[in-house]
Amino acid sequence: MTVRSSGSAPAHDAIVGYRTFVAVVVSGYFTLIALTPRTAMMHEVSWAQLLPLSGFYLVLGIWGFDYARRRTNRVVSVAYLLIEFALGMRINALAWGGGLPLILLPLAAQAVILLPRLLAAAMCMLVIAGVSGNLSWVPAWPDWLRNIAQATAAVAFVVVYVGVAQREREARQRAEALSAEIAQLAAANERNRMAREIHDTLGHYLTVIHVQLEAARAVSGTDTERGMLAVSRAQALAKDGLAAVRQSVKALREDVRVDGVAEQIASLVDSVRDEGFSATFRTSGTPRAVSAAVALALHRTTLEALTNVRKHAGAANVEIELAFRDDGRVQLHVHDDGKGAADERAGTGFGLRGIRERAEQLEGSAKYRTAPSEGFTLDVELPA
């Protein structure tokens, strides 16, 4: 049966746990050998038994714990802890006066890591009994109470410390996971932004250039003047497209104010005057400078609106109005008299989705109205 385990913990955490285990055991032996006073009542220590058992206890505490941690099996974990506990109790029986009870404390920490709460609590109670000496001898009442209190405090400290360390490690892992997720979302947002920029800028200009070149090829044999005019307009559009790309880069990199946004939109409307629909542009309110991001959004929205009219609307007339309102906001209104569409189909296009996303990023809004045979109306409102 699979149980909770630290098998997913970083190797550094496991190394720290091994070092702690070794430090506790070594300090216990140092205290026994170097600091414990000898008395005539002490029995002779059988070093031939104590040293091998101590080495085995130490090795099993490192490699056995690692094996149980990787297996994440309850039976294996319980078996390991009980074998290690029995070895620790035997070592205490061989030592002077049971002088190595603290070597049992790491088992409480390992039980918290390897076992579910109920079994871990039972193992901790067993460790308390072993550390207090109640499994080796039966002390008198005051000694019994004092030993239990001391052993309980020691085990509680170990358990709390391990719990804090585990929570800190889990919090670090969650933070790392969230950081990776944020990086992925940022990359996805960047991809969406670049896709929108490519679609809104290059899509429009390449479409219009294609139309002009098609027109030039169609009339080149019969009307050379009109053909050259279409080629000249295609060249001018290519130049405008390059300028628009540069403006996009500047707006994305710099926080500046832009004047003449109405003139830019008027130039876009003028570029479609020879196509199959007429376009008119007007302004209202007092023109003023807007942020680079807002200027870019208005430019892109106008491009997308004209592209949609050309490709989908079948309209004869398009009206575009740029309103500088007294409340400090700017509104772009686009209406065509084309065939319109069912409302549930209109908002599924990439272009309208890009317009809405761009407006929302600038704390604005984008709304549209359409119906079959009733044309299409788009209103974009942005902070100036």
Side-chain angles (χ1 to χ4, degrees):
M1 181 179 296
T2 301
V3 297
R4 177 170 54 91
S5 168
S6 62
S8 60
H12 175 73
D13 293 342
I15 292 173
V16 171
Y18 302 155
R19 290 174 178 172
T20 303
F21 186 89
V22 172
V24 170
V25 175
V26 170
S27 63
Y29 277 96
F30 176 79
T31 302
L32 174 71
I33 297 172
L35 302 179
T36 301
R38 308 294 191 271
T39 65
M41 301 296 295
M42 288 182 177
H43 63 80
E44 187 68 25
V45 174
S46 176
W47 295 103
Q49 297 183 51
L50 183 60
L51 292 180
L53 283 175
S54 301
F56 185 60
Y57 181 80
L58 192 60
V59 171
L60 183 62
I62 296 175
W63 300 108
F65 170 67
D66 183 63
Y67 176 77
R69 188 175 61 89
R70 287 186 286 104
R71 285 292 301 272
T72 65
N73 184 281
R74 183 178 302 175
V75 175
V76 173
S77 299
V78 170
Y80 156 73
L81 290 169
L82 291 179
I83 292 173
E84 193 76 335
F85 180 80
L87 286 172
M89 292 300 296
R90 178 56 183 164
I91 291 171
N92 269 285
L94 292 172
W96 290 305
L100 292 171
L102 294 182
I103 67 172
L104 297 173
L105 285 179
L107 300 181
Q110 293 179 351
V112 172
I113 295 174
L114 294 174
L115 299 176
R117 290 184 178 180
L118 187 59
L119 288 177
M123 188 66 203
C124 287
M125 293 177 64
L126 189 61
V127 171
I128 290 173
V131 172
S132 66
N134 287 285
L135 295 182
S136 303
W137 54 287
V138 182
W141 166 253
D143 293 333
W144 181 89
L145 184 60
R146 180 197 63 194
N147 293 352
I148 285 291
Q150 291 177 343
T152 302
V155 171
F157 173 80
V158 170
V159 170
V160 170
Y161 175 80
V162 171
V164 170
Q166 280 190 305
R167 285 193 293 272
E168 187 276 334
R169 185 194 67 220
E170 292 169 356
R172 184 174 68 251
Q173 291 174 337
R174 286 195 298 271
E176 292 173 353
L178 288 174
S179 178
E181 184 177 351
I182 290 172
Q184 292 176 353
L185 290 175
N189 289 336
E190 182 67 10
R191 287 194 297 269
N192 289 338
R193 184 185 66 82
M194 294 303 297
R196 186 168 60 244
E197 293 299 328
I198 292 172
H199 176 273
D200 291 351
T201 304
L202 297 181
H204 168 79
Y205 281 105
L206 290 177
T207 300
V208 178
I209 290 171
H210 174 75
V211 170
Q212 293 292 343
L213 293 177
E214 284 287 336
R217 186 173 66 175
V219 301
S220 60
T222 57
D223 193 336
T224 304
E225 184 177 353
R226 285 187 60 191
M228 289 303 298
L229 179 61
V231 171
S232 298
R233 286 176 177 166
Q235 185 178 11
L237 286 167
K239 183 178 179 181
D240 290 344
L242 290 174
V245 170
R246 296 190 188 99
Q247 182 183 10
S248 299
V249 174
K250 182 178 180 180
L252 292 171
R253 290 183 175 179
E254 301 177 10
D255 185 15
V256 297
R257 306 290 291 182
V258 176
D259 284 310
V261 64
E263 287 76 4
Q264 293 180 14
I265 295 177
S267 177
L268 292 175
V269 174
D270 185 62
S271 69
V272 300
R273 64 183 181 275
D274 292 329
E275 298 191 19
F277 58 92
S278 65
T280 58
F281 174 70
R282 65 179 182 272
T283 62
S284 61
T286 304
R288 56 182 176 272
V290 298
S291 69
V294 170
L296 182 62
L298 294 172
H299 188 271
R300 296 294 179 270
T301 300
T302 305
L303 284 177
E304 181 60 34
L306 293 173
T307 301
N308 285 341
V309 171
R310 181 183 302 107
K311 294 170 61 177
H312 307 298
N317 300 285
V318 181
E319 297 177 356
I320 300 177
E321 179 181 2
L322 182 65
F324 294 90
R325 299 185 345 197
D326 294 336
D327 60 1
R329 301 177 75 84
V330 61
Q331 183 175 14
L332 180 68
H333 173 82
V334 182
H335 172 73
D336 68 64
D337 60 358
K339 58 186 178 181
D343 187 70
E344 63 271 11
R345 293 174 50 199
T348 59
F350 184 88
L352 284 176
R353 185 165 65 248
I355 291 173
R356 187 182 301 111
E357 290 173 355
R358 190 188 300 276
E360 290 174 352
Q361 287 177 356
L362 296 173
E363 299 182 355
S365 63
K367 301 177 182 179
Y368 65 88
R369 301 183 303 277
T370 186
S373 303
E374 295 184 10
F376 189 92
T377 301
L378 173 68
D379 286 293
V380 176
E381 181 182 308
L382 299 172

